[in-house]
Amino acid sequence: MFKRHAFVLVGTTVCVVLAGCSIDPTVEHAPAGTQAPGLPSASQREESPPSSVPLPTPGTAGEIPNTVRLRELALQSGEAPGVPSSGVGIRDVHPGELKPLPETQPPAPCTLMWGLIGQRGAQAAIAQTFDTTEPGNPTVTFLSSYSGTGATTTFARLRSAVAACPSDGSENRKATIRSQDLDKAEFPADTLRIQITVSTEGSDEPAEVMEHIVARVGVCIVDMSGAGPEPYPGLSEGPVLRQIQRLQAAQDL
């Protein structure tokens, strides 16, 4: 049974109502997609981000970062285009938004996809937003931590759900979803580039595109996204890579 789901892009003026497989109607996060060619290639990306900001020191072996630690591991000023949003900045994701997804009788692929993009099942999570008007710059980042093998399991479930959900939508608005592995040496093996194109039937306005890069880094998952109207140049890899480096350093990976 589908419920109306608010597809909210933090940091832009995009607000599209889709028929998402909403597990929790209070959670407002974005979708993901199926394997398909044609997404922006690595050769179209900028060079690695500046590394003048020191990387964090490693924590205790086996430590699962809480929200305080995740805030320390988020990108610092100078590590990403744009500036932290003065209105939101960094917020802790409320534990009520992180309720685990069912292990038995799992939800339909699109429902599962939305839930996992929404950090369902995480031990702790934060959201960091940026004020930027440049296409390709990140507008929101989620950092999540998981106990045990939770991050590995979550990413595997996300990969499968994305591949099984090529589109999602309501009566007149549709999200077309594509994804591919980001197979590049600097990135972890568990990294997906996910592109969501949202169009409104009968509208003369250009479609809105949201692009995510989602990566598992040890017990953590980073989900960075940016958006803009078509044609869309793709989310810049530099800030994502710098965020990955911060998570790797903190876990001594």
Side-chain angles (χ1 to χ4, degrees), residues 21-82:
C21 310
S22 179
I23 301 168
D24 184 343
T26 65
V27 179
E28 297 186 345
H29 295 311
T34 57
Q35 300 292 335
L39 298 186
S41 66
S43 62
Q44 295 174 302
R45 302 290 169 247
E46 81 287 358
E47 296 179 357
S48 297
S51 56
S52 57
V53 178
L55 293 172
T57 56
T60 304
E63 175 189 21
I64 302 169
N66 57 21
T67 53
V68 174
R69 180 61 166 157
L70 289 173
R71 282 172 172 262
E72 296 173 352
L73 304 184
L75 288 181
Q76 304 299 303
S77 297
E79 291 185 297

Coordinates of all heavy atoms in Angstrom, one line a residue, residues 21-82:
C21 N 7.1 4.4 -1.3 CA 6.7 3.3 -0.4 C 7.1 3.7 1.0 O 8.0 3.1 1.6 CB 7.3 2.0 -0.8 SG 7.1 1.7 -2.6
S22 N 6.4 4.6 1.6 CA 6.8 5.3 2.8 C 6.6 4.3 4.0 O 5.5 3.9 4.3 CB 6.0 6.5 3.1 OG 6.4 7.1 4.3
I23 N 7.7 4.0 4.7 CA 7.6 3.1 5.9 C 7.2 4.0 7.1 O 6.5 3.6 7.9 CB 9.0 2.4 6.1 CG1 9.3 1.6 4.9 CG2 8.9 1.6 7.4 CD1 10.7 1.1 4.9
D24 N 7.7 5.2 7.1 CA 7.4 6.2 8.1 C 7.1 7.5 7.5 O 8.0 8.1 6.9 CB 8.6 6.3 9.1 CG 8.3 7.2 10.3 OD1 7.4 8.0 10.2 OD2 9.1 7.2 11.2
P25 N 5.9 8.0 7.4 CA 5.6 9.2 6.7 C 6.2 10.4 7.2 O 6.2 11.5 6.6 CB 4.0 9.3 6.8 CG 3.7 8.5 8.1 CD 4.7 7.4 8.1
T26 N 6.8 10.4 8.4 CA 7.5 11.6 8.9 C 8.9 11.7 8.4 O 9.6 12.7 8.5 CB 7.6 11.5 10.5 OG1 8.4 10.4 10.9 CG2 6.2 11.4 11.1
V27 N 9.4 10.6 7.8 CA 10.8 10.7 7.2 C 10.8 11.2 5.8 O 10.1 10.8 5.0 CB 11.4 9.2 7.2 CG1 12.8 9.3 6.7 CG2 11.4 8.7 8.6
E28 N 11.6 12.2 5.6 CA 11.6 12.9 4.3 C 13.0 12.8 3.7 O 13.8 13.8 3.8 CB 11.1 14.3 4.4 CG 9.7 14.4 4.9 CD 9.2 15.8 4.9 OE1 10.0 16.8 4.8 OE2 8.0 16.0 5.0
H29 N 13.3 11.7 3.1 CA 14.6 11.6 2.4 C 14.4 11.1 1.0 O 13.3 10.9 0.6 CB 15.5 10.6 3.2 CG 15.8 11.0 4.6 ND1 16.3 12.3 4.8 CD2 15.7 10.4 5.8 CE1 16.5 12.4 6.1 NE2 16.2 11.3 6.7
A30 N 15.4 10.9 0.2 CA 15.3 10.8 -1.2 C 15.5 9.4 -1.7 O 15.9 8.5 -0.9 CB 16.4 11.6 -1.9
P31 N 15.2 9.1 -2.9 CA 15.2 7.7 -3.5 C 16.6 7.3 -4.0 O 17.6 8.0 -3.9 CB 14.2 7.8 -4.6 CG 14.0 9.2 -4.9 CD 14.5 10.0 -3.8
A32 N 16.6 6.2 -4.7 CA 17.8 5.6 -5.3 C 17.4 4.9 -6.6 O 16.3 5.0 -7.0 CB 18.5 4.7 -4.3
G33 N 18.3 4.1 -7.3 CA 17.9 3.5 -8.6 C 18.5 2.3 -9.1 O 19.2 1.6 -8.5
T34 N 18.2 2.0 -10.4 CA 18.6 0.8 -11.1 C 20.0 1.0 -11.8 O 20.3 2.0 -12.2 CB 17.6 0.3 -12.1 OG1 17.4 1.4 -13.0 CG2 16.3 -0.1 -11.4
Q35 N 20.6 -0.2 -12.0 CA 21.8 -0.1 -12.8 C 21.6 0.3 -14.2 O 20.7 -0.3 -14.9 CB 22.5 -1.5 -12.8 CG 22.8 -2.1 -11.4 CD 23.9 -1.3 -10.7 OE1 24.7 -0.7 -11.4 NE2 23.9 -1.3 -9.4
A36 N 22.3 1.3 -14.7 CA 22.1 1.7 -16.1 C 23.3 2.5 -16.5 O 24.0 3.2 -15.7 CB 20.9 2.6 -16.2
P37 N 23.7 2.4 -17.8 CA 24.8 3.2 -18.3 C 24.4 4.7 -18.5 O 23.2 5.0 -18.4 CB 25.1 2.6 -19.7 CG 23.7 2.0 -20.1 CD 23.1 1.6 -18.8
G38 N 25.4 5.5 -18.8 CA 25.1 6.9 -19.2 C 25.2 7.9 -18.1 O 25.0 9.1 -18.4
L39 N 25.5 7.5 -16.9 CA 25.8 8.5 -15.8 C 27.1 9.2 -16.1 O 28.0 8.6 -16.8 CB 25.7 7.9 -14.5 CG 24.4 7.2 -14.1 CD1 24.4 6.7 -12.6 CD2 23.2 8.1 -14.3
P40 N 27.3 10.4 -15.5 CA 28.6 11.0 -15.7 C 29.8 10.2 -15.4 O 29.8 9.5 -14.4 CB 28.5 12.3 -14.8 CG 27.0 12.5 -14.6 CD 26.4 11.1 -14.6
S41 N 30.8 10.2 -16.2 CA 32.0 9.4 -16.0 C 33.0 10.0 -15.1 O 32.9 11.2 -14.8 CB 32.7 9.1 -17.3 OG 33.2 10.3 -17.9
A42 N 33.9 9.2 -14.5 CA 34.9 9.7 -13.6 C 35.8 10.8 -14.3 O 36.3 11.7 -13.6 CB 35.8 8.6 -13.1
S43 N 36.0 10.7 -15.6 CA 36.8 11.6 -16.3 C 36.3 13.0 -16.3 O 37.0 14.0 -16.6 CB 37.1 11.1 -17.8 OG 35.8 11.1 -18.5
Q44 N 35.0 13.2 -16.0 CA 34.3 14.4 -16.0 C 34.4 15.1 -14.7 O 33.9 16.2 -14.5 CB 32.8 14.3 -16.4 CG 32.6 13.8 -17.8 CD 31.2 13.5 -18.1 OE1 30.5 12.7 -17.4 NE2 30.6 14.2 -19.1
R45 N 35.1 14.5 -13.7 CA 35.1 15.0 -12.4 C 36.3 16.0 -12.2 O 37.3 15.9 -12.9 CB 35.2 13.9 -11.3 CG 34.0 12.9 -11.5 CD 32.7 13.6 -11.0 NE 31.6 12.8 -11.3 CZ 30.7 13.1 -12.2 NH1 30.8 14.3 -12.8 NH2 29.7 12.3 -12.5
E46 N 36.2 16.8 -11.1 CA 37.3 17.7 -10.8 C 38.4 16.9 -10.0 O 38.2 15.8 -9.6 CB 36.8 18.8 -9.9 CG 36.6 18.5 -8.4 CD 35.4 17.7 -8.1 OE1 34.7 17.3 -9.1 OE2 35.2 17.3 -7.0
E47 N 39.5 17.6 -9.8 CA 40.6 16.9 -9.1 C 40.2 16.8 -7.6 O 39.2 17.3 -7.1 CB 41.9 17.8 -9.2 CG 42.4 17.9 -10.6 CD 43.6 18.7 -10.7 OE1 44.1 19.3 -9.7 OE2 44.2 18.9 -11.8
S48 N 41.1 16.0 -6.8 CA 40.8 15.8 -5.4 C 40.7 17.1 -4.7 O 41.3 18.1 -5.1 CB 41.9 14.9 -4.8 OG 42.0 13.7 -5.4
P49 N 39.9 17.2 -3.6 CA 39.7 18.4 -2.9 C 40.9 18.8 -2.1 O 41.8 18.0 -1.9 CB 38.5 18.1 -2.0 CG 38.7 16.6 -1.7 CD 39.2 16.1 -3.1
P50 N 41.0 20.1 -1.7 CA 42.2 20.5 -0.9 C 42.2 19.8 0.4 O 41.2 19.4 1.0 CB 41.9 22.0 -0.7 CG 40.4 22.2 -0.9 CD 40.0 21.2 -2.0
S51 N 43.4 19.5 0.8 CA 43.6 18.7 2.1 C 44.3 19.6 3.2 O 45.0 19.0 4.0 CB 44.5 17.5 1.8 OG 45.7 17.8 1.2
S52 N 44.1 20.9 3.1 CA 44.7 21.7 4.1 C 44.1 21.5 5.5 O 44.7 21.8 6.5 CB 44.5 23.2 3.7 OG 43.2 23.5 3.6
V53 N 42.8 21.0 5.6 CA 42.2 20.8 6.9 C 42.7 19.4 7.4 O 42.6 18.4 6.7 CB 40.7 20.8 6.7 CG1 40.0 20.4 8.1 CG2 40.2 22.1 6.2
P54 N 43.2 19.3 8.6 CA 43.7 18.0 9.1 C 42.6 17.0 9.1 O 41.5 17.2 9.4 CB 44.2 18.4 10.5 CG 44.4 19.8 10.5 CD 43.4 20.4 9.6
L55 N 43.0 15.7 8.9 CA 42.1 14.6 9.0 C 42.0 14.3 10.5 O 42.9 14.5 11.3 CB 42.6 13.4 8.2 CG 42.7 13.5 6.7 CD1 43.4 12.4 6.1 CD2 41.3 13.7 6.2
P56 N 40.9 13.7 10.9 CA 40.7 13.3 12.3 C 41.6 12.2 12.8 O 42.1 11.4 12.0 CB 39.2 12.9 12.4 CG 38.9 12.4 11.0 CD 39.7 13.3 10.1
T57 N 41.9 12.2 14.0 CA 42.7 11.1 14.6 C 41.8 9.9 14.8 O 40.6 10.0 15.0 CB 43.3 11.5 16.0 OG1 42.2 11.9 16.8 CG2 44.2 12.7 15.8
P58 N 42.4 8.7 14.7 CA 41.6 7.5 14.8 C 41.0 7.4 16.2 O 41.6 7.8 17.2 CB 42.7 6.4 14.6 CG 43.8 7.0 13.9 CD 43.8 8.4 14.3
G59 N 39.8 6.7 16.2 CA 39.2 6.5 17.5 C 39.6 5.1 18.0 O 40.5 4.5 17.5
T60 N 38.9 4.7 19.1 CA 39.2 3.4 19.7 C 38.8 2.3 18.7 O 37.8 2.4 18.0 CB 38.4 3.3 21.0 OG1 38.7 4.3 21.9 CG2 38.7 1.9 21.7
A61 N 39.6 1.2 18.6 CA 39.3 0.1 17.8 C 37.9 -0.4 18.1 O 37.6 -0.7 19.2 CB 40.3 -1.0 17.9
G62 N 37.1 -0.6 17.0 CA 35.8 -1.2 17.2 C 34.7 -0.1 17.6 O 33.6 -0.5 17.8
E63 N 35.1 1.1 17.7 CA 34.2 2.2 18.2 C 33.1 2.4 17.1 O 33.4 2.4 15.9 CB 35.0 3.5 18.4 CG 34.1 4.6 18.7 CD 34.9 6.0 18.7 OE1 36.0 6.0 18.1 OE2 34.4 6.9 19.4
I64 N 31.9 2.5 17.5 CA 30.8 2.9 16.7 C 30.5 4.4 16.9 O 30.0 4.7 18.0 CB 29.5 2.1 16.9 CG1 29.8 0.6 16.8 CG2 28.4 2.5 16.0 CD1 28.7 -0.3 17.3
P65 N 30.8 5.2 15.9 CA 30.7 6.7 16.1 C 29.2 7.0 16.5 O 28.3 6.6 15.9 CB 31.0 7.3 14.8 CG 31.9 6.3 14.2 CD 31.4 4.9 14.6
N66 N 29.1 7.8 17.6 CA 27.8 8.4 17.9 C 27.6 9.7 17.2 O 28.4 10.1 16.4 CB 27.6 8.5 19.5 CG 28.7 9.4 20.1 OD1 29.4 10.2 19.4 ND2 29.0 9.2 21.4
T67 N 26.5 10.4 17.5 CA 26.3 11.7 16.8 C 27.3 12.7 17.1 O 27.7 13.5 16.2 CB 24.8 12.2 17.1 OG1 24.7 12.3 18.5 CG2 23.8 11.3 16.5
V68 N 27.8 12.8 18.3 CA 28.9 13.7 18.6 C 30.1 13.5 17.8 O 30.7 14.4 17.2 CB 29.2 13.7 20.1 CG1 30.4 14.6 20.4 CG2 28.0 14.1 21.0
R69 N 30.5 12.2 17.7 CA 31.7 11.9 16.9 C 31.4 12.1 15.4 O 32.3 12.6 14.7 CB 32.1 10.4 17.1 CG 33.3 9.9 16.4 CD 34.5 10.7 16.7 NE 35.7 10.0 16.2 CZ 36.9 10.6 16.0 NH1 37.0 11.9 16.2 NH2 37.9 9.9 15.5
L70 N 30.2 11.8 14.9 CA 29.9 12.0 13.5 C 30.0 13.5 13.1 O 30.4 13.8 12.0 CB 28.5 11.4 13.2 CG 28.4 9.9 13.2 CD1 26.9 9.5 13.0 CD2 29.3 9.3 12.1
R71 N 29.6 14.3 14.0 CA 29.7 15.8 13.8 C 31.2 16.1 13.6 O 31.5 17.0 12.8 CB 29.1 16.6 15.0 CG 27.6 16.6 14.9 CD 27.0 17.2 16.2 NE 25.6 17.4 16.1 CZ 25.0 18.6 15.8 NH1 25.8 19.7 15.5 NH2 23.7 18.7 15.8
E72 N 32.1 15.5 14.4 CA 33.5 15.8 14.3 C 34.0 15.3 12.9 O 35.0 15.9 12.4 CB 34.3 15.2 15.4 CG 33.9 15.7 16.8 CD 34.6 14.9 17.9 OE1 35.2 13.8 17.5 OE2 34.5 15.3 19.1
L73 N 33.4 14.3 12.4 CA 33.9 13.6 11.2 C 33.3 14.3 9.9 O 33.8 14.0 8.8 CB 33.6 12.1 11.2 CG 34.1 11.4 12.4 CD1 33.8 9.9 12.2 CD2 35.6 11.6 12.6
A74 N 32.3 15.1 10.0 CA 31.7 15.8 8.9 C 32.7 16.8 8.3 O 33.7 17.2 8.9 CB 30.5 16.5 9.3
L75 N 32.5 17.1 7.0 CA 33.4 18.0 6.3 C 33.5 19.3 7.0 O 32.5 19.8 7.6 CB 32.8 18.3 4.9 CG 32.9 17.2 3.8 CD1 32.4 17.7 2.5 CD2 34.4 16.7 3.6
Q76 N 34.7 19.8 7.1 CA 35.0 21.1 7.7 C 35.0 22.2 6.7 O 35.2 22.0 5.5 CB 36.3 21.0 8.5 CG 36.4 19.9 9.5 CD 35.3 20.0 10.6 OE1 35.2 21.0 11.3 NE2 34.4 18.9 10.7
S77 N 35.0 23.5 7.2 CA 35.1 24.6 6.3 C 36.3 24.5 5.4 O 37.4 24.3 5.9 CB 35.1 25.9 7.1 OG 33.9 26.0 7.8
G78 N 36.1 24.7 4.1 CA 37.2 24.6 3.2 C 37.4 23.3 2.5 O 38.2 23.2 1.6
E79 N 36.6 22.3 2.9 CA 36.7 21.0 2.3 C 35.6 20.7 1.3 O 35.6 19.7 0.7 CB 36.7 19.9 3.4 CG 37.9 19.9 4.3 CD 37.8 18.8 5.3 OE1 36.9 18.7 6.2 OE2 38.7 17.9 5.3
A80 N 34.7 21.6 1.2 CA 33.6 21.4 0.2 C 33.2 22.8 -0.4 O 33.3 23.8 0.3 CB 32.4 20.7 0.8
P81 N 32.8 22.8 -1.6 CA 32.2 24.0 -2.2 C 31.0 24.5 -1.4 O 30.3 23.7 -0.8 CB 31.8 23.6 -3.6 CG 32.6 22.4 -3.9 CD 32.7 21.7 -2.6
G82 N 30.8 25.8 -1.4 CA 29.6 26.3 -0.7 C 30.0 26.4 0.8 O 31.1 26.1 1.2

